[in-house]
Every structure is written in structure tokens, then in C-alpha cells.
């Protein structure tokens, strides 16, 4: 199940850079090929090669995407963010020493303490998606900044939408 | 030893942070319908001091919204002793009460202050006190006199001698400050480049619990005001927040996410004996003890939207107590335990509201759109809260009947998270 999912994700990732001939190969060879050509979704090869770009920082890699945005009063992870969360889940499973903090945030409206709890619940929602994909709680710590660390300082809906967010941050970043 | 160095560094840091005099300015924006007319005569020899004691008393009483100051100019000579009072002077000005007094400097540098409160209609003395004080105690003494006058004329305890705690944000700097209820004498309790929130007074007024992000996540600290010493009360995995003291000061209710969701826990004031207190499927936060310690009220979204719940302090099922609207948060018991104040969202605006426990009746007290963090004065007559004026965070106060309104602001920066301190025992 996990392997199938992994290969599905990797195929998705590669669609921009790899030729269709990859389709005939096994999941493992897809993985190898991607690492050889361009940084892929796994650092197994990257660590050995040293030359490859860190997939977490590669702007062409979905792992460089870190933010899940939420609706007002809501903490459910919308479908559009699931491929990104799934990619991070796979990364964590393949890198058992990696540790991720999921930082939940809320917009400025309403109670600061309730917003702290809401930010936590948003971070927990992302964690649960990862748990379902098999990531151990030992690799994830959720934390909330509530409304205290707004990314956007404005007081309009566009800013509020930016601030209703959970960020995935890796230890050491 | 390592610990000691840490403490010394922190004390230095606090000492550097201390000289801040961003006084809160209080502006009265609405008054009660029936104000009691009071004449406060300048005290004998009060101009020997740098501050006018009668002026401080007048400002206190005026700020409460319950009194109207009667003009004393034109009365010659101004009385300072009961024998000097000519009642027609004051009846003619429609004064119902008269305050007279005087100050006598002593050779040792201290000052004798005496005052009398006189009922103009009945022509008798309602109160009379004398104090021997240091010049530095002048403001505090004026507040005590204002408390006596307030109590004699309204029947309620005065809160002019109390303090308020609040957070100021200036640029990237956060400070937890404590000031007198009239905004004077602001002192910085702790300063940080990271957010501080949710200050909570211990019942004896000697300590503040608060939440600080200085270690990059919310941790609860308890700090003794006189010494500046502090301890991390709760620093568990995840968030540690929303501290509130039990009425006997022995325990605090707090909110932890160590087990995933935000849930209520109980902890001794020394950080020992942590117990989980609520076990719900949603967010439980913002606990507050009833004055008799038997109940807690808190915010929970277990029913789908944030609402206020009540449960016995010994534990048990929570019972939902707010039903109007889809967002009711930040509850706090009134000092008599008969009602609670909270924030209610309606039409996208957040207002201060009070709900009576017996009738369930809700009264919305404010019309400002972004109200947060309401906190009762210890006499239950005023509620201080955070709001926004022109996109800037200010504090405001409203009487519990909604009629008297005040605004408290600082010259620079944003003020938020007010907590009204308790009545102090030796007042």
C-alpha cells in the first residue's frame, strides 16, 4: 500500500522532469533515476551523492512547499494540500532521523487563547494526515503560535487567509 | 551555580527593562445617568506637595462615572475643618456630599493627612480618617480616600487602590506591565522579543502567572512581583497556556496540548501534582474558577462551535451554558459568582457581554467591534477589556450595566490582555 502510494507520488513529482519511459520501471528504479537526474523526493541518494540539491529546499520539489491554509473557523485539511502533506509524510518515513515541527496559526480575530488552541488543532489535523500515512509521532511535534506570529500584518481578508495556516518545519531549519 | 548565573542575567535584564513610564491615559467616554454631586475642597497645605491630593481623589471619582464634581471656586474661605463648613454654600451648589481635609508636614519628613466626608443634606459626618505617610505614598493615600468616599456613597467597595496588568507591544518588543488602576506608576514585570499573553493575578496580588513564547513556544511562568523571581510552572510538550488561579491560590487551572488536543489540567502553584481535568473530543481552554471554588467555566468547541461550558471543580461532565450565536469565548466569573462576562461574536463583530446564571439572560455591553479578554474589577462594577481604535490595540472599561465607558491608551504601541488585580488585604 505504502509502496504504491510512494510510487504514485513520485510519478506525480517526476511528471515535469522525467520521460514517460519511466512508467515501465519499478518504484525503486523510478526513485533512483530521479535522484540521478535531479533531486527527488528522497534524500537516501542525496546523502550519498552530496551533489544533489536538498529536496526540502529545491523549489521544483513539492517538499519545498510547507504551508497548509485553512478556512475561517476551520481546521480541516483541504484536498488541495493533501499531496504536499503526503510527500512530507513519505519523506519522514524514509528519513527516520528527520523530525518535523508542525506550527499552527490563526488570524487575529477573536480570543488569543482560543486562537492558540485553534492553531494547535490545525497543526494536529496535519499531524493526523501524516499519522494515517504511517508517520510515527516520535518524528512530529505540533506547536501553535495562535495569532501571535502573523505572516501577513494586514487587517483584511487577504492577510487573514495567509495567517490561517499550518507550516511544516524540519528540525535544524 | 549554572542556575544562579541564569537568574542573575535575568535580573539584570529585568533591571534594564524597568524604567518604562508609558503611562496609560484614561478618557471617559460615557457616564451613568444619576451621578452623585460631590464637592471636594482642596486640602489645607496640599500645595506643599508636588501632586494635588484633592485632584487625584476627584479624578478617581470622576473616572468611575458615578460622581459629578461640584465646583468649589467662589466659596470663601474654603473649609478644612467641620466647624468651618457653612452648609448653605454647598446646598446652594446642589452638592450632596462634601470632602474636606488637610496635610501637615512633620519634622521627620513624613506627612499627616486627614480628611472628612460630610453629608450635606443631613449635615453629619459619614467618615473621617487620618494617615501618617511618606511623600511617596501620596497617590496611594489619595486612592484610599477615594475608596472610602466611593464605598460610603455607593455602598460598593472602591477599586481605586487596585492594579491592572496588561501587555504592551512596541514594534517587536513585548512587555508585561503592572500599573495603578488610574494608569499611573507603570512598571515592567517582564520584557521579551517574543509574545507574552494571558496574565493572571494570584488571589493575594503578589504573583502573576503568564504565558511567554520566549523559548519559541508557549510556556507558563509564575513571577513574584516584589522580588522578580519566577519559575516555569508548566513547560510540557506542546503548548502550555491559559493559566488561572484557584480562589485559595494553591492551584492553577491550565491548558496543555501534551496529549494532543488543548485540554484542561490542574497543577499545584509550585508546579507539582499535575492532573488532567477535562477529556473532550475538541478544544477546551480559557478556564476560570467560581469565587467559591466549586465550579469552573471554560471555552470548548466540543459541540462544533466555541461555546462556554460549566463543570464542577471536582471534575465531571461539562454543561453548555451559552446558546446565542456561533462564537462565545473568554468567560470570567463576576466576583459575586452570579454572572459571567465573555466575548460574543455577532455579525462578524466581537463584543463584551454578561450573562446571568439564574436567568440565562445576556446583555451586550459594548459597541466596539474587536473586543477581547474581559476582566472584572474586584467589586464587580467595571469590566476592563482589550479593543481596537483606528487599528491600534487599546484597553477600555465598561460598567457592568453598560452605562459608564472609559478608554485607556498609551502614547505608543499596542495594549492588550488586561487583567484587573485583586483588592489588597491591608487596604
Amino acid at each position: 500500500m505504502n509502496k504504491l502510494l510512494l510510487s504514485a507520488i513520485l510519478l506525480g513529482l517526476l511528471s515535469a522532469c522525467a520521460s514517460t519511459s519511466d512508467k515501465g520501471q519499478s518504484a525503486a528504479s523510478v526513485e533512483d533515476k530521479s535522484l540521478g537526474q535531479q533531486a527527488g523526493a528522497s534524500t537516501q541518494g542525496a546523502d550519498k551523492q552530496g551533489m544533489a540539491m536538498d529536496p526540502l529546499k529545491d523549489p521544483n520539489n513539492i517538499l519545498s512547499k510547507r504551508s497548509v491554509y485553512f478556512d475561517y473557523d476551520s481546521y480541516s485539511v483541504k484536498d488541495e494540500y493533501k499531496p504536499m502533506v503526503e510527500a512530507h509524510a513519505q519523506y519522514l518515513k524514509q528519513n527516520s532521523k528527520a523530525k518535523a515541527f508542525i506550527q499552527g496559526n490563526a488570524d487575529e480575530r477573536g480570543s488569543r487563547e482560543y486562537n492558540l488552541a485553534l492553531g494547535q488543532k490545525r497543526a494536529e489535523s496535519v499531524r493526523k494526515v501524516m499519522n494515517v500515512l504511517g508517520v510515527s509521532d516520535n518524528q512530529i511535534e505540533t506547536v501553535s503560535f495562535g495569532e501571535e506570529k502573523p505572516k501577513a500584518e494586514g487587517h483584511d481578508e487577504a492577510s487573514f487567509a495567509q495567517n490561517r495556516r499550518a507550516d511544516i518545519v524540519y528540525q535544524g531549519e | 551555580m549554572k542556575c544562579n548565573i541564569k537568574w542573575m542575567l535575568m535580573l539584570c535584564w529585568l533591571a534594564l527593562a524597568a524604567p518604562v513610564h508609558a503611562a496609560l491615559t484614561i478618557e471617559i467616554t460615557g457616564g451613568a445617568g444619576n451621578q452623585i454631586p460631590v464637592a471636594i475642597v482642596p486640602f489645607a497645605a496640599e500645595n506643599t506637595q508636588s501632586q494635588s491630593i484633592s485632584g487625584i481623589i476627584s479624578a478617581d471619582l470622576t473616572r468611575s462615572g458615578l460622581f459629578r464634581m461640584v465646583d468649589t471656586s467662589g466659596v470663601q474661605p474654603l473649609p478644612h475643618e467641620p466647624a468651618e463648613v457653612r452648609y448653605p454654600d454647598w446646598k446652594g451648589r446642589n452638592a450632596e456630599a462634601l470632602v474636606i481635609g488637610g496635610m501637615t508636614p512633620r519634622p521627620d519628613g513624613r506627612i499627616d493627612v486627614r480628611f472628612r466626608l460630610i453629608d450635606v443634606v443631613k449635615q453629619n459626618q459619614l467618615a473621617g480618617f487620618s494617615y501618617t505617610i511618606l511623600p511617596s505614598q501620596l497617590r496611594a493615600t489619595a486612592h484610599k480616600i477615594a475608596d472610602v468616599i466611593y464605598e460610603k456613597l455607593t455602598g460598593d467597595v472602591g477599586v481605586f487602590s487596585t492594579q491592572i496588568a496588561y501587555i504592551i507591544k512596541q514594534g517587536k518588543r513585548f512587555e508585561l506591565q503592572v500599573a495603578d488602576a488610574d494608569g499611573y506608576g507603570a512598571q515592567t514585570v517582564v520584557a521579551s522579543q517574543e509574545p507574552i499573553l494571558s496574565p493572571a493575578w494570584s488571589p493575594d496580588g503578589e504573583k502573576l502567572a503568564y504565558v511567554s513564547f520566549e523559548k519559541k513556544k508557549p510556556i507558563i511562568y509564575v513571577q513574584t512581583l516584589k522580588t522578580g523571581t519566577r519559575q516555569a510552572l508548566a513547560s510540557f510538550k506542546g503548548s502550555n497556556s491559559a493559566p488561572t488561579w484557584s480562589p485559595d491560590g494553591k492551584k492553577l487551572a491550565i491548558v496543555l496540548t501534551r496529549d494532543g488536543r488543548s485540554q484542561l489540567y490542574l497543577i499545584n502553584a509550585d508546579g507539582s501534582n499535575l492532573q488532567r481535568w477535562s477529556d473532550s473530543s475538541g478544544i477546551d481552554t480559557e478556564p476560570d474558577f467560581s469565587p467559591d471554588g466549586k465550579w469552573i467555566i471554560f471555552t470548548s468547541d466540543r459541540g462544533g462551535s466555541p461555546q462556554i461550558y460549566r463543570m464542577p471543580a471536582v471534575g465531571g461532565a461539562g454543561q453548555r451554558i451559552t446558546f446565542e450565536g456561533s462564537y462565545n469565548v473568554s468567560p470570567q466569573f463576576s466576583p459575586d459568582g452570579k454572572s459571567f462576562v465573555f466575548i460574543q461574536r455577532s455579525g462578524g463583530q466581537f463584543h463584551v457581554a454578561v450573562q446571568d446564571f439564574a436567568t440565562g439572560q445576556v446583555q451586550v455591553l459594548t459597541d466596539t467591534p474587536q473586543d477581547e479578554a474581559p476582566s472584572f474589577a474586584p467589586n464587580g462594577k467595571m469590566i476592563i477589556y482589550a479593543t481596537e481604535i483606528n487599528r491600534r490595540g487599546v484597553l477600555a472599561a465598561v460598567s457592568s450595566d453598560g452605562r459608564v465607558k472609559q478608554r485607556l491608551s498609551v502614547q505608543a504601541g499596542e495594549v492588550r490582555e488586561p487583567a484587573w488585580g485583586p483588592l489588597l488585604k491591608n487596604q
Side-chain angles (χ1 to χ4, degrees):
Chain A
M1 169 61 198
N2 283 337
K3 268 205 165 171
L4 278 175
L5 192 66
L6 174 64
S7 70
I9 290 166
L10 288 172
L11 280 171
L13 291 176
L14 289 166
S15 59
C17 58
S19 75
T20 51
S21 66
D22 290 335
K23 274 183 180 169
Q25 295 171 324
S26 71
S29 66
V30 169
E31 202 175 347
D32 286 341
K33 195 167 169 71
S34 76
L35 289 165
Q37 291 178 341
Q38 194 168 343
S42 164
T43 57
Q44 284 171 339
D47 287 339
K48 286 174 203 151
Q49 294 186 3
M51 296 292 288
M53 198 172 185
D54 182 348
L56 296 172
K57 296 199 170 77
D58 177 358
N60 294 320
N61 194 308
I62 195 168
L63 290 171
S64 67
K65 303 275 184 295
R66 305 299 185 82
S67 296
V68 178
Y69 295 90
F70 295 85
D71 289 338
Y72 189 37
D73 282 347
S74 169
Y75 48 84
S76 60
V77 179
K78 291 192 271 190
D79 286 345
E80 60 186 290
Y81 300 107
K82 285 191 174 151
M84 187 264 284
V85 175
E86 284 161 3
H88 285 284
Q90 295 311 326
Y91 177 84
L92 284 164
K93 282 166 66 182
Q94 288 162 10
N95 296 272
S96 57
K97 285 181 183 162
K99 193 176 172 191
F101 295 94
I102 306 172
Q103 302 169 337
N105 298 271
D107 73 40
E108 67 181 20
R109 291 171 289 176
S111 155
R112 288 179 184 275
E113 279 288 353
Y114 186 75
N115 283 338
L116 191 60
L118 187 57
Q120 180 72 25
K121 205 162 173 178
R122 285 173 175 158
E124 284 289 307
S125 294
V126 175
R127 192 240 295 257
K128 274 176 195 155
V129 173
M130 291 189 174
N131 283 156
V132 167
L133 297 171
V135 181
S136 156
D137 274 347
N138 296 331
Q139 282 182 276
I140 318 171
E141 181 168 346
T142 53
V143 67
S144 177
F145 297 142
E147 63 175 277
E148 307 305 324
K149 302 211 162 182
K151 187 178 182 180
E153 297 273 0
H155 302 283
D156 47 18
E157 177 47 38
S159 299
F160 297 156
Q162 285 286 303
N163 295 335
R164 292 191 299 266
R165 191 181 79 251
D167 292 328
I168 300 165
V169 177
Y170 287 88
Q171 193 165 49
E173 284 188 324
Chain B
M1 187 55 207
K2 205 175 178 186
C3 197
N4 281 340
I5 290 168
K6 242 183 180 174
W7 272 115
M8 281 169 62
L9 283 173
M10 207 194 71
L11 287 172
C12 291
W13 177 53
L14 289 176
L16 286 172
V20 169
H21 302 288
L24 285 166
T25 312
I26 302 185
E27 178 191 344
I28 298 141
T29 53
N34 280 327
Q35 294 176 322
I36 304 170
V38 185
I40 299 178
V41 177
F43 281 30
E46 75 170 18
N47 54 11
T48 59
Q49 305 302 318
S50 58
Q51 302 179 84
S52 152
I53 192 164
S54 63
I56 299 166
I57 298 167
S58 298
D60 279 352
L61 296 174
T62 303
R63 216 174 47 251
S64 76
L66 302 182
F67 302 92
R68 180 169 61 78
M69 294 303 117
V70 173
D71 188 10
T72 61
S73 60
V75 176
Q76 281 294 339
L78 283 170
H80 303 299
E81 299 295 335
E84 297 165 4
V85 175
R86 289 193 311 262
Y87 285 99
D89 286 346
W90 307 105
K91 280 184 181 163
R93 287 159 196 255
N94 296 318
E96 289 178 19
L98 174 69
V99 176
I100 58 170
M103 313 182 72
T104 311
R106 292 161 60 121
D108 64 2
R110 291 188 295 170
I111 312 161
D112 286 326
V113 180
R114 61 198 175 279
F115 93 98
R116 294 169 198 274
L117 172 65
I118 293 164
D119 184 328
V120 172
V121 181
K122 292 180 182 160
Q123 304 194 3
N124 62 3
Q125 181 175 311
L126 297 172
F129 287 96
S130 65
Y131 311 87
T132 300
I133 62 163
L134 295 167
S136 61
Q137 295 170 308
L138 187 81
R139 290 198 75 85
T141 306
H143 295 320
K144 280 184 189 178
I145 293 171
D147 281 336
V148 171
I149 297 166
Y150 182 95
E151 186 165 354
K152 289 291 172 189
L153 297 182
T154 69
D156 295 311
V157 177
V159 292
F160 304 117
S161 300
T162 57
Q163 292 191 301
I164 49 173
Y166 50 88
I167 312 293
I168 287 194
K169 181 183 183 229
Q170 281 175 302
K172 298 269 177 207
R173 181 181 169 90
F174 296 82
E175 292 187 14
L176 167 57
Q177 294 191 352
V178 168
D180 295 344
D182 65 353
Y184 278 79
Q187 296 280 330
T188 298
V189 175
V190 65
S192 173
Q193 296 299 113
E194 297 290 338
I196 306 171
L197 63 158
S198 304
W201 291 89
S202 63
D204 62 9
E206 291 183 1
K207 293 174 182 170
L208 278 174
Y210 56 88
V211 175
S212 170
F213 282 68
E214 65 197 57
K215 297 243 170 80
K216 308 293 179 194
K217 69 170 210 173
I219 290 174
I220 302 169
Y221 294 90
V222 169
Q223 186 158 333
T224 304
L225 293 173
K226 265 184 196 152
T227 60
T229 56
R230 68 170 194 169
Q231 88 175 101
L233 178 80
S235 177
F236 299 98
K237 188 184 176 188
S239 300
N240 305 259
S241 71
T244 190
W245 299 76
S246 64
D248 63 8
K250 290 178 180 165
K251 292 177 178 185
L252 290 97
I254 58 176
V255 172
L256 304 179
T257 62
R258 57 178 294 188
D259 301 317
R261 298 181 301 278
S262 298
Q263 293 283 294
L264 309 182
Y265 292 76
L266 204 56
I267 193 167
N268 286 353
D270 65 1
S272 66
N273 197 25
L274 180 74
Q275 293 171 271
R276 185 158 173 178
W277 209 9
S278 69
D279 187 4
S280 78
S281 56
I283 290 169
D284 287 352
T285 188
E286 303 186 309
D288 187 51
F289 281 91
S290 62
D292 64 7
K294 289 181 180 166
W295 296 91
I296 56 155
I297 48 177
F298 58 99
T299 306
S300 178
D301 75 342
R302 59 183 70 178
S305 66
Q307 298 291 343
I308 294 160
Y309 288 71
R310 177 168 64 170
M311 76 174 197
V314 292
Q319 175 199 6
R320 183 172 163 180
I321 55 175
T322 51
F323 298 94
E324 287 178 24
S326 61
Y327 190 98
N328 294 300
V329 298
S330 307
Q332 194 194 42
F333 276 98
S334 63
D336 66 6
K338 290 179 180 166
S339 62
F340 63 98
V341 67
F342 62 106
I343 296 294
Q344 181 168 73
R345 184 179 74 197
S346 62
Q349 299 201 333
F350 299 81
H351 299 303
V352 177
V354 170
Q355 181 169 327
D356 185 88
F357 276 107
T359 64
Q361 201 177 346
V362 175
Q363 188 187 359
V364 176
L365 302 181
T366 58
D367 49 18
T368 34
Q370 298 289 350
D371 302 342
E372 293 179 13
S375 172
F376 264 108
N379 66 356
K381 293 295 160 187
M382 294 292 285
I383 295 151
I384 196 168
Y385 61 98
T387 189
E388 276 185 12
I389 305 287
N390 301 327
R391 294 286 179 208
R392 200 157 78 94
V394 299
L395 303 185
V398 61
S399 60
S400 49
D401 63 4
R403 297 173 79 168
V404 180
K405 286 177 177 152
Q406 303 170 359
R407 191 182 305 156
L408 303 80
S409 52
V410 285
Q411 284 171 326
E414 311 238 4
V415 207
R416 50 172 75 154
E417 300 283 278
W420 207 314
L423 291 169
L424 299 179
K425 277 176 187 149
N426 57 355
Q427 291 297 322

